[in-house]
């Protein structure tokens, strides 16, 4: 057909979790956007477990929401079991997780895409990214259609040269039942990007009708499910339980006996798999002393009996899969509906990207999601929206949006990727965030709403609501430090009534709230009038008061380091010409091309002496 | 008191180089014309070479020239002027990063007549010699000064072997605990047991004990790093200059039978018991001095008042004429040693009775500077006074660096908070982990950073993760 008669401002390749957010972001920012997918029926497909959120991932989802993304709203409408994890371990490590109705989820997302203005959705496999003079100009599909475009965002997940393994049998494809994309890898390589190989795995899907749930421990969702999105008032869908069961010694024997047909243990698989999500055969081999491994039986959807057994990803032969599954309580008669498999795929080393997710080699070519070596829907969505925002910024000649490590998990994620790269599928953990106490789920909106609004992704209305919340919090905090409780008889009596120790001396309300057992709920009982603010305001107030000294310490640290973050390198910095740097350091800096001294200092192998020299060079340049 | 060093020609300086930390090793840096000569005397390359090539590292050993004993394995690089940081000849000796080897080497270099540098003196010389401009000098100073974590995480480590081991021990415990905490926080849905917080608190308290002990060694030991000033004072002609010459082992000060010979002050650096000592000879204290001399006297008084330590020299033949009441006015209490000189001139019995006129309780040593009797005894007494008999450096870990000490104090604060959090029920996991992280980060300023990746690796190696 040749050249498509319309030039898009943005073409997004792949409609997974990254692609959807990227395309929605650019379209919402008013850019004409084309989203291409190999299969319109698997938009926002959950290739692995049917769940959104979890530790650190919940934070990511809420951050994406605060910036105006869709993932949180989507799961709020299609989730079938919501739980807030780590409820008792402290607000900084509290994360939401929800089981999704996989079919509903993708249908909802498809509908949102279809209804989005400025967004065209088409089914096509991209063969080639076309670039000239180091700048993208469009994409070409396998049917020979050329879509001219000013920017291209690659969000192809695990599809690049995907190769699936079940036992020693292989099949090309990025996901069971889907195609394998071959041309694009070569195209990326010809544009100068280096690709590596990763591996991930997924468990077999089971027929719930052949599972005996009686006698298995059920796991219910929270009674009052908390939505992911700051815009969702309430979760209305009925909630369903998951069930918990365990492998046994017998299971492990069968697995061990089946290792000769394992592509992992026979060296067939070359890609590196994630350490945090090992296959069941890996767990059995590496932790022989463990007598059982936990399995969550998660419903895939209300429309199907298919069950996702979380905890047993495997690429053992189908025969071994069915035999070991049947040793597991509740699964004695189980039937496998789809086999578990491992998939190897190409990824692009993310150190080739700027912190905007734009490729350093090709202007206006952005990469986001699993193609950058991450794993997880949430990590993908986070990159997707950032790639979208920065593609728009690039087109409009605006400042890019780069989130810092103290701004958001998104900042940690992208900084880790572009500074350190990864050699296993990268997943977010709260332990990766040095300012964990600042990066909470509860304050994601407060941290990011201004940025989302500035970029045109939040409505005026939503902006006002966030700004109001911020003001209300400030007002309450001020009131709390001003108002005092005095140890007079009526106060002491009230304290006694609510089970609080009496006062020894006058305290302000902040001090009172710092008592471990005290909470904002006590305030009206002590005769302190509470403004009718949202629950979110009070939650925030309580956390900020109780954690004040800890939060302050982290903020101080952020401020101390800001000096380094503020020393930006000019784009044309020629590290090889700088004196006082070892050759090795020069090469490292050339490769990563840090945007500022802070990032430079995080590059492994960049010595303190080098940082000192860089500082001197920067000062010299600045004073010229 | 710090007397700013003038950029004297012909002066060679040495310091343990900290500004451009690399970690793991200690660097003793010598700058000045005598740098090469000094290196040649102390450094024995593995493959002997006629002449060192500039800007090339040599591997070998540092040996004590007095008995040829090996002090440390080391790398040595000689950088000839002008392509060096100070534009003077520079020698860097890279040795093991412990305080002990670094100190020994420093001591050896100083014993070769090289002066310990003032803080920042290398940069100052670089600036003076036109090697860097002021902006650069300030940037360097920024780096040295920066208290930011980024700057400090690169900071130099100069640790005693024992010290780094003790701190490393604490760090390992911290890493273990943090790993356990992070696994508990990051993987709530894994089949992991809840941590036993009473045990965790116990381990935190053990660490508090260890860190507190380490930190306390600083007060006693900082002098090994920073050194002390020792002023030789006394009335004219009692033999102060003679004593200085004897103590530093060379004819440094002019000696004459005329009172009032020393009109200005004079200083010389030596290492005593591993402590860098700046010895300062002063003008004799007298009331009827001429104008120039009077200034010297006034200066001497100030020197004495601000000295870390005073050797108050008296003439054995004139003990009665000392006005002890006056001496007590300016002599730093507890840091004064009376040296009774010229004992060769009085019979033992007379000395005995003369001593009776000294105020009781003041430590004293009788010597003859001229004939070098009692000097060894004096040296020992000085060492005893300086170290206060408290430290046995070779067998104990000590903190000698003020930065390290600050880091330990921060670690201690964090651990104390952590102990508190570990006692709360339910345990606020995020806060406890934050405290442990802070403690670990503080130690990182001494030992190098522990990255989140290291903790994660530990978790994946230890726990079966993989829901
Ligand atoms: N017999 C004897 N003479 C000594 C001794 N120590 C110093 N002298 C002599 O005392 C005289 C003065 O010595 P200096 O070392 O110049 O004394 P000073 O205290 O530095 O004198 P000013 O600098 O003038 O205050 C010289 O003639 C020395 O040789 C000693 O132990 N015994
Ligand atoms: Mg004299």
């Amino acid at each position: 057909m040749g050249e498509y008669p319309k030039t898009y401002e943005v073409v997004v390749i792949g409609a997974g979790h990254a692609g959807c957010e990227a395309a929605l972001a650019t379209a919402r920012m008013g850019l004409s956007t084309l989203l291409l997918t190999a299969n319109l029926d698997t938009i926002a497909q959950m290739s692995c477990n049917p769940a959104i959120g979890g530790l650190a991932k919940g934070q990511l989802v809420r951050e994406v929401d605060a910036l105006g993304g869709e993932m949180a709203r989507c799961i709020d409408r299609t989730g079938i079991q919501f739980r807030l994890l780590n409820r008792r371990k402290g607000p900084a490590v509290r994360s939401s997780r929800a089981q999704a109705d996989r079919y509903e989820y993708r249908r909802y997302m498809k509908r949102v895409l279809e209804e989005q203005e400025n967004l065209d959705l088409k089914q096509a496999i991209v063969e080639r990214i076309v670039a000239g003079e180091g700048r993208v100009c469009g994409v070409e599909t396998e049917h020979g259609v050329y879509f001219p475009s000013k920017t291209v965002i690659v969000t192809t997940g695990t599809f690049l040269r995907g190769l699936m393994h079940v036992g020693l049998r292989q099949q090309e494809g990025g996901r069971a039942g889907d195609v394998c994309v071959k041309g694009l890898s070569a195209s990326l390589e010809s544009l100068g990007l280096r690709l590596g190989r990763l591996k991930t795995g997924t468990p077999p899907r089971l027929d719930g009708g052949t599972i005996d749930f009686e006698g298995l421990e059920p796991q219910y969702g929270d009674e009052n499910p908390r939505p992911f999105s700051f815009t969702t008032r309430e979760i209305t869908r009925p909630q369903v339980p998951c069930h918990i069961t365990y492998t046994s010694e017998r299971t492990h024997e069968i697995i061990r006996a089946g290792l000769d047909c394992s592509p992992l243990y026979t060296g067939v698989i070359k890609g590196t798999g994630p350490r945090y999500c090992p296959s069941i055969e890996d767990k059995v081999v590496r932790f022989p002393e463990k007598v059982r491994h936990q399995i969550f039986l998660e419903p895939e959807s209300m429309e199907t009996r298919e069950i996702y057994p979380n905890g047993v990803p495997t690429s053992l032969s189908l025969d071994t899969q069915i035999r070991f599954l049947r040793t597991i309580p509740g699964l004695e008669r189980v039937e496998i509906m789809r086999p578990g498999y491992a998939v190897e795929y190409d990824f692009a080393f993310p150190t080739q990207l700027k912190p905007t997710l734009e490729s350093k080699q090709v202007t206006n070519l952005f990469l986001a999601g699993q193609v950058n070596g991450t794993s997880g829907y949430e990590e993908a969505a986070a990159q997707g929206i950032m790639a979208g925002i920065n593609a728009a910024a690039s087109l409009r000649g605006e400042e890019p949006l780069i989130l810092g490590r103290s701004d958001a998990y998104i900042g940690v994620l992208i900084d880790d990727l572009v500074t350190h790269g990864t050699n296993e599928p990268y997943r977010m953990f709260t332990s990766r965030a040095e300012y964990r106490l600042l990066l909470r789920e509860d304050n994601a909106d407060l941290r990011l709403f201004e940025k989302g609004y500035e970029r045109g992704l939040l409505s005026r209305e939503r902006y006002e609501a966030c700004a109001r919340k911020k003001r209300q919090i400030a007002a309450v905090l001020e009131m709390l430090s001003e108002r005092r409780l005095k140890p007079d008889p009526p106060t002491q009596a009230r304290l006694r009534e609510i089970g609080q120790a009496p006062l020894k001396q006058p305290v302000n309300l902040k001090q009172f709230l710092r008592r471990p057992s005290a909470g904002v709920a006590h305030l009206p009982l002590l005769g302190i009038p509470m403004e009718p603010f949202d629950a979110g305001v009070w939650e925030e107030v309580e956390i900020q008061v109780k954690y004040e000294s800890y939060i302050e310490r982290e903020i101080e640290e952020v401020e101390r380091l800001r000096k380094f973050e503020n020393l930006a390198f000019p784009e044309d910095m020629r590290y090889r010409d700088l004196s006082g740097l070892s050759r090795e350091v020069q090469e490292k800096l050339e490769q990563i091309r840090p945007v500022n001294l802070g990032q430079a200092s995080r590059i492994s192998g960049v010595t303190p002496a080098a940082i000192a020299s860089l500082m001197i060079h920067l000062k010299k340049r600045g004073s010229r | 008191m710090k007397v700013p060093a003038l950029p004297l020609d012909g002066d060679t300086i040495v310091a343990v180089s900290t500004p451009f930390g690399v970690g793991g090793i200690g660097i003793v840096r010598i700058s000045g014309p005598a740098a090469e000569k000094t290196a040649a005397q102390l450094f024995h390359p593995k493959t002997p070479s006629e002449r060192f090539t500039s800007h090339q590292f040599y591997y070998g050993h540092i040996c004590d020239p007095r008995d040829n004993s090996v002090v440390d394995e080391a790398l040595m690089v000689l950088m000839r002027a002008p392509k060096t940081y100070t534009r003077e000849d520079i020698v860097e000796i890279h040795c093991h990063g412990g305080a002990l080897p670094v100190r020994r080497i420093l001591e050896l270099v100083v014993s070769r007549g090289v002066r310990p540098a003032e803080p920042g003196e290398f940069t100052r010389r670089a600036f003076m010699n036109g090697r860097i401009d002021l902006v650069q000098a300030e940037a360097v100073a920024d780096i040295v000064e920066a208290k930011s974590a980024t700057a400090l995480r690169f900071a130099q480590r100069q640790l005693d072997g024992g010290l780094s081991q003790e701190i490393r021990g604490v760090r390992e415990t911290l890493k273990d605990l943090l790993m356990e905490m992070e696994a508990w926080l990051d993987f709530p849905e894994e089949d992991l047991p809840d941590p036993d917080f009473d045990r965790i608190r116990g381990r935190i308290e053990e660490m508090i004990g260890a860190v507190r002990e380490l930190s306390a060694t600083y007060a006693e030991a900082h002098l090994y790093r920073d050194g002390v000033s020792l002023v030789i004072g006394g009335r004219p002609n009692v033999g102060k200059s003679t004593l200085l010459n004897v103590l530093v082992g060379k004819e440094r000060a002019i000696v004459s039978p005329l009172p009032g010979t020393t009109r200005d002050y004079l200083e010389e650096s030596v290492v005593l018991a591993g402590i860098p000592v700046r010895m300062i000879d002063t003008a004799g204290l007298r009331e009827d001095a001429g104008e120039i001399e009077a200034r010297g006297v006034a200066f001497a008084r100030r020197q004495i008042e601000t000295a870390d330590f005073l050797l108050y020299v008296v003439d054995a033949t004139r003990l009665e004429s000392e006005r002890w009441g006056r001496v007590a006015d300016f002599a730093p209490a507890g840091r004064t040693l009376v040296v009774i000189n010229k004992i060769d001139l009085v019979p033992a019995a007379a000395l005995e009775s003369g001593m009776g006129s000294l105020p009781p309780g003041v430590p004293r040593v009788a010597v003859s500077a001229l004939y070098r009797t009692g000097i060894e005894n004096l040296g020992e007494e000085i060492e005893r006074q300086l170290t206060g008999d408290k430290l046995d450096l070779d067998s104990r870990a000590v903190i000698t660096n003020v930065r390290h000490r600050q880091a330990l104090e921060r670690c201690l604060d964090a651990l104390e908070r952590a102990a508190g959090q570990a006692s709360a029920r339910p345990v606020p996991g995020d806060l406890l982990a934050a405290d442990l992280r802070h403690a670990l980060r503080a130690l990182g300023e001494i030992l190098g950073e522990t990255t989140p990746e290291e903790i994660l690796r530990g978790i994946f190696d230890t726990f079966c993760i993989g829901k």
Side-chain angles (χ1 to χ4, degrees):
Chain A
M1 174 183 155
E3 182 165 332
Y4 196 72
K6 172 173 173 185
T7 297
Y8 286 95
E9 287 172 295
V10 183
V11 168
V12 180
I13 311 173
H17 305 281
C20 291
E21 295 293 351
L24 285 172
T26 56
R28 285 169 180 168
M29 285 184 281
L31 302 174
S32 64
T33 303
L34 170 63
L35 176 56
L36 295 174
T37 169
N39 184 350
L40 278 172
D41 297 325
T42 54
I43 283 172
Q45 174 81 318
M46 298 188 171
S47 315
C48 207
N49 65 331
I52 295 285
L55 255 285
K57 290 164 172 274
Q59 276 89 332
L60 281 171
V61 178
R62 281 170 81 90
E63 288 171 1
V64 168
D65 181 67
L67 287 172
E70 198 59 40
M71 179 172 255
R73 278 189 289 219
C74 188
I75 183 65
D76 283 346
R77 278 152 194 77
T78 62
I80 51 178
Q81 188 212 73
F82 288 76
R83 291 191 311 128
L84 184 59
L85 306 177
N86 278 350
R87 199 180 277 277
R88 281 162 58 88
K89 297 180 193 170
V93 292
R94 248 171 238 161
S95 295
S96 305
R97 184 184 187 280
Q99 293 298 139
D101 183 312
R102 173 203 301 280
Y103 300 150
E104 287 282 353
Y105 190 94
R106 71 180 190 210
R107 270 201 296 268
Y108 172 89
M109 192 60 95
K110 186 176 182 214
R111 174 53 61 87
V112 170
L113 294 169
E114 285 167 349
E115 286 172 0
Q116 179 61 48
E117 240 180 282
N118 305 320
L119 179 59
D120 291 344
L121 187 57
K122 296 183 194 297
Q123 180 165 306
I125 294 179
V126 172
E127 273 287 309
R128 202 160 76 88
I129 295 165
V130 184
E133 289 164 18
R135 178 173 275 282
V136 306
C137 11
V139 301
E140 207 177 270
T141 70
E142 66 177 352
H143 297 125
V145 184
Y146 173 63
F147 290 99
S149 176
K150 293 180 186 157
T151 58
V152 171
I153 305 177
V154 181
T155 55
T156 47
T158 60
F159 279 77
L160 297 186
R161 282 199 285 243
L163 184 64
M164 292 177 292
H165 301 261
V166 179
L168 298 177
R169 287 170 185 272
Q170 288 121 48
Q171 193 189 350
E172 291 183 338
R175 177 170 58 213
D178 267 310
V179 294
C180 163
V181 178
K182 283 186 192 159
L184 210 49
S185 287
S187 175
L188 287 172
E189 280 174 329
S190 76
L191 291 173
L193 279 95
R194 283 187 317 116
L195 304 182
R197 209 85 175 127
L198 289 176
K199 169 244 152 183
T200 187
T202 192
R205 309 302 198 269
L206 312 179
D207 178 354
T210 62
I211 295 175
D212 185 7
F213 290 103
E214 290 292 312
L216 295 186
E217 179 192 335
Q219 183 199 43
Y220 295 98
D222 291 343
E223 225 151 276
N224 296 306
R226 175 164 105 168
F228 277 85
S229 174
F230 290 95
T231 61
T232 307
R233 287 254 138 231
E234 204 183 353
I235 302 295
T236 47
R237 219 170 242 284
Q239 307 283 296
V240 300
C242 296
H243 289 84
I244 299 173
T245 182
Y246 297 90
T247 62
S248 67
E249 291 285 19
R250 179 85 195 103
T251 321
H252 302 173
E253 273 165 38
I254 294 172
I255 288 170
R256 272 191 284 268
L259 287 178
D260 55 343
C261 289
S262 153
L264 262 180
Y265 283 89
T266 52
V268 175
I269 289 180
K270 300 277 185 295
T272 319
R275 290 167 300 175
Y276 47 83
C277 187
S279 60
I280 183 67
E281 48 270 33
D282 237 0
K283 289 195 267 192
V284 168
V285 171
R286 288 187 49 224
F287 296 92
E289 68 285 357
K290 240 187 130 151
V291 295
R292 61 176 205 178
H293 296 278
Q294 185 176 244
I295 302 168
F296 290 81
L297 299 174
E298 304 174 349
E300 291 252 23
S301 164
M302 296 294 91
E303 296 167 34
T304 173
R305 305 207 313 203
E306 269 187 273
I307 292 290
Y308 181 95
N310 197 341
V312 286
T314 179
S315 54
L316 291 168
S317 69
L318 188 51
D319 166 58
T320 307
Q321 291 186 21
I322 187 70
R323 287 200 301 124
F324 86 68
L325 284 172
R326 286 185 178 167
T327 62
I328 295 168
L331 306 186
E332 294 85 354
R333 305 178 297 115
V334 79
E335 290 295 339
I336 290 180
M337 291 176 74
R338 311 177 199 224
Y341 60 92
V343 56
E344 284 185 282
Y345 54 96
D346 287 348
F347 77 108
F349 292 105
T351 48
Q352 303 171 97
L353 304 176
K354 301 176 185 176
T356 55
L357 298 178
E358 185 184 14
S359 132
K360 290 171 191 163
Q361 283 91 344
V362 185
T363 304
N364 284 348
L365 174 64
F366 292 77
L367 281 80
Q370 240 169 321
V371 69
N372 287 339
T374 58
S375 88
Y377 316 139
E378 304 80 359
E379 287 85 346
Q383 292 170 70
I385 192 167
M386 294 309 290
I389 290 172
N390 284 313
S394 167
L395 283 173
R396 293 169 168 172
E398 288 168 1
E399 278 289 298
L401 179 61
I402 298 173
L403 297 176
R405 300 184 72 91
S406 56
D407 295 327
Y409 274 94
I410 300 178
V412 176
L413 168 71
I414 295 178
D415 184 59
D416 276 351
L417 289 176
V418 304
T419 309
H420 304 302
T422 186
N423 42 29
E424 71 172 332
Y426 177 104
R427 180 184 143 183
M428 187 48 74
F429 301 106
T430 68
S431 53
R432 294 196 197 269
E434 44 280 78
Y435 311 111
R436 178 162 59 194
L437 298 181
L438 305 182
L439 306 184
R440 307 184 305 272
E441 265 199 4
D442 59 81
N443 69 357
D445 53 344
L446 298 172
R447 287 185 275 127
L448 298 172
F449 79 99
E450 276 143 337
K451 297 187 167 87
Y453 178 68
E454 269 166 31
R455 301 285 158 167
L457 284 173
L458 292 193
S459 64
R460 178 84 208 167
E461 194 188 349
R462 220 181 134 183
Y463 173 82
E464 296 288 358
C466 284
R468 190 164 53 241
K469 180 173 171 188
K470 204 172 158 180
R471 280 196 306 273
Q472 290 171 343
I473 292 166
V476 176
L477 287 174
E478 199 182 318
M479 180 275 282
L480 292 177
S481 47
E482 274 166 10
R483 282 201 67 150
R484 300 175 79 74
L485 283 181
K486 290 191 206 73
D488 49 32
T491 306
Q492 303 287 43
R494 282 205 194 110
L495 284 170
R496 218 175 359 260
E497 270 167 41
I498 60 172
Q500 285 288 324
L503 294 172
K504 295 201 181 71
Q505 64 211 40
V507 292
N508 67 28
L509 290 174
K510 267 190 175 176
Q511 288 163 318
F512 169 74
L513 281 179
R514 283 199 196 108
R515 291 181 173 193
S517 56
V520 285
H522 287 134
L523 295 180
L525 305 174
L526 290 167
I528 313 292
M530 273 174 77
E531 305 267 355
F533 296 151
D534 267 5
V537 171
W538 295 107
E539 179 189 2
E540 204 48 42
V541 162
E542 191 169 304
I543 293 170
Q544 286 192 25
V545 169
K546 284 193 182 290
Y547 277 42
E548 189 169 67
S549 62
Y550 279 80
I551 289 173
E552 272 171 10
R553 250 193 306 278
E554 291 207 343
I555 289 176
E556 262 170 42
E557 175 128 352
V558 173
E559 290 304 324
R560 263 205 303 274
L561 292 178
R562 196 174 303 283
K563 180 166 123 196
F564 290 84
E565 302 296 323
N566 285 345
L567 279 175
F569 289 115
E571 282 235 20
D572 60 349
M573 193 87 169
R574 290 161 60 105
Y575 296 96
R576 288 199 185 91
D577 296 348
L578 296 187
S579 56
L581 299 179
S582 71
R583 172 62 58 84
E584 190 203 336
V585 168
Q586 287 178 343
E587 293 304 321
K588 277 255 164 73
L589 291 167
E590 271 302 333
Q591 191 207 336
I592 305 295
R593 303 203 62 80
V595 291
N596 56 42
L597 204 62
Q599 193 192 350
S601 74
R602 290 189 292 273
I603 300 172
S604 75
V606 172
T607 59
I611 292 298
S613 304
L614 286 171
M615 206 158 167
I616 288 170
H617 286 295
L618 280 175
K619 287 211 170 183
K620 255 190 349 206
R621 266 185 90 118
S623 63
R624 236 193 274 136
Chain B
M1 161 166 169
K2 291 260 178 251
V3 182
L6 305 166
L8 294 172
D9 268 349
D11 193 1
T12 300
I13 53 171
V14 62
V16 176
S17 139
T18 47
F20 298 109
V22 231
I25 47 168
I27 301 179
V28 175
R29 190 192 267 178
I30 312 168
S31 178
E36 181 172 1
K37 191 186 80 202
T38 311
Q41 286 166 347
L42 304 178
F43 179 74
H44 299 269
K46 189 87 190 293
T47 355
S49 64
E50 279 293 357
R51 190 168 181 271
F52 296 123
T53 309
S54 187
H55 290 80
Q56 182 184 315
F57 271 98
Y58 289 88
Y59 168 76
H61 292 92
I62 295 291
C63 299
D64 189 335
R66 283 170 294 205
D67 57 2
N68 271 326
S69 63
V70 172
V71 173
D72 197 6
E73 198 181 31
L75 288 173
M76 194 280 298
V77 56
L78 161 70
M79 294 166 277
R80 289 204 180 84
K83 277 183 154 172
T84 70
Y85 181 61
T86 53
R87 289 215 166 147
E88 301 174 324
D89 283 356
I90 284 189
V91 163
E92 281 184 359
I93 297 167
H94 296 226
C95 59
H96 289 115
L100 206 56
V102 172
R103 209 177 66 219
R104 286 239 176 96
I105 292 168
L106 187 65
E107 178 181 323
L108 278 180
V109 173
V110 172
S111 76
R112 300 280 111 189
V114 176
R115 176 171 64 77
E118 298 286 334
E121 196 177 355
F122 280 86
T123 303
R124 210 154 58 228
R125 284 189 178 205
F127 176 58
M128 294 294 204
N129 293 332
R131 170 69 172 71
I132 55 173
D133 60 25
L134 187 59
V135 180
Q136 289 174 316
E138 278 167 2
V140 173
D142 274 355
I143 292 279
V144 179
E145 242 69 84
K147 293 278 184 317
S148 73
T150 301
L152 284 180
R153 89 184 204 211
F154 301 132
Q156 180 75 345
R157 287 164 260 169
Q158 299 154 19
L159 292 175
D160 191 277
L163 174 62
S164 75
Q165 229 159 47
E166 281 189 33
I167 298 181
R168 220 159 259 149
V170 175
R171 180 172 69 169
E172 287 314 305
T173 308
L174 267 174
K175 266 161 90 172
D176 281 354
L177 294 188
L178 196 54
M179 233 170 64
E180 198 177 342
M181 285 300 299
E182 298 288 16
W184 179 63
L185 296 175
D186 255 338
F187 303 99
E189 296 191 285
E190 299 289 344
D191 197 13
L192 304 176
D194 276 355
D196 171 352
F197 288 106
D198 290 331
R199 182 182 49 81
I200 286 183
R201 207 187 74 194
R203 297 195 69 186
I204 293 171
E205 266 151 16
E206 279 165 33
M207 287 191 285
I208 289 176
V211 173
R212 193 175 278 149
E213 216 168 277
L214 273 171
S215 179
T217 62
Y218 175 78
E220 302 147 21
H222 81 279
L223 50 102
Y224 285 94
R225 191 189 151 73
D226 300 338
V228 295
S229 60
L230 180 150
V231 165
I232 303 176
R235 310 219 314 176
N237 219 34
V238 292
K240 299 182 294 297
S241 301
T242 312
L243 192 62
L244 175 95
N245 288 344
V246 169
L247 286 172
V248 304
K250 60 184 174 191
E251 297 303 309
R252 185 69 170 79
I254 299 165
V255 172
S256 92
L258 299 174
T261 306
T262 307
R263 299 183 177 192
D264 204 346
Y265 79 102
L266 239 173
E267 76 170 69
E268 188 69 16
S269 294
V270 294
V271 175
L272 288 176
I275 303 169
V277 177
R278 285 193 307 129
M279 280 200 188
I280 301 159
D281 182 20
T282 58
L285 301 163
R286 64 196 256 177
E287 271 96 74
D288 58 338
E291 200 188 321
I292 298 182
E293 215 186 318
R295 251 188 272 141
V297 172
F299 196 71
R301 278 183 181 277
R302 269 208 306 284
Q303 294 272 19
I304 289 171
E305 279 160 20
T306 54
D308 290 319
F309 203 75
L310 171 67
L311 287 189
Y312 189 75
V313 185
V314 296
D315 188 329
T317 62
R318 311 183 52 189
L319 282 175
E320 310 73 38
S321 66
E322 281 292 340
R323 310 235 278 284
W324 291 110
R326 286 278 207 82
V327 175
D329 278 351
F330 60 77
R335 290 179 286 130
T336 302
L337 177 61
V338 172
V339 181
I340 303 162
N341 188 28
K342 306 193 187 181
I343 56 168
D344 53 292
L345 296 179
V346 289
L351 182 65
E352 199 65 37
S353 72
M355 293 258 244
S357 68
L358 263 70
V362 177
R364 67 206 63 180
V365 178
V367 302
S368 164
L370 194 62
Y371 297 102
R372 302 184 183 222
T373 45
I375 297 299
E376 209 165 294
N377 195 8
L378 171 62
E380 280 167 17
E381 188 58 33
I382 296 174
E383 288 181 9
R384 241 221 335 274
Q385 294 282 334
L386 289 180
T387 58
D389 259 348
K390 285 177 212 133
L391 291 175
D392 176 3
L393 273 183
D394 292 339
S395 65
R396 252 192 79 190
V398 292
I399 294 293
T400 60
N401 178 315
V402 65
R403 248 185 3 78
H404 293 166
R405 140 86 159 224
Q406 283 169 346
L408 286 183
E409 289 294 311
R410 265 202 302 282
C411 177
L412 202 53
D413 285 349
L415 287 174
E416 274 162 0
R417 289 195 301 271
Q421 299 298 1
S423 324
R425 294 295 179 272
V427 171
D430 50 359
L431 297 188
L432 175 54
D435 291 328
L436 293 175
R437 285 170 166 208
H438 273 116
L440 191 59
R441 207 174 296 158
L443 293 190
E445 293 167 22
I446 306 177
L447 291 173
E449 206 198 3
T450 304
T451 60
E453 177 55 32
E454 279 174 68
I455 300 293
L456 279 170
R457 196 181 308 139
I459 292 176
F460 298 133
D461 287 346
T462 314
F463 304 106
C464 180
I465 300 293
K467 178 188 156 174

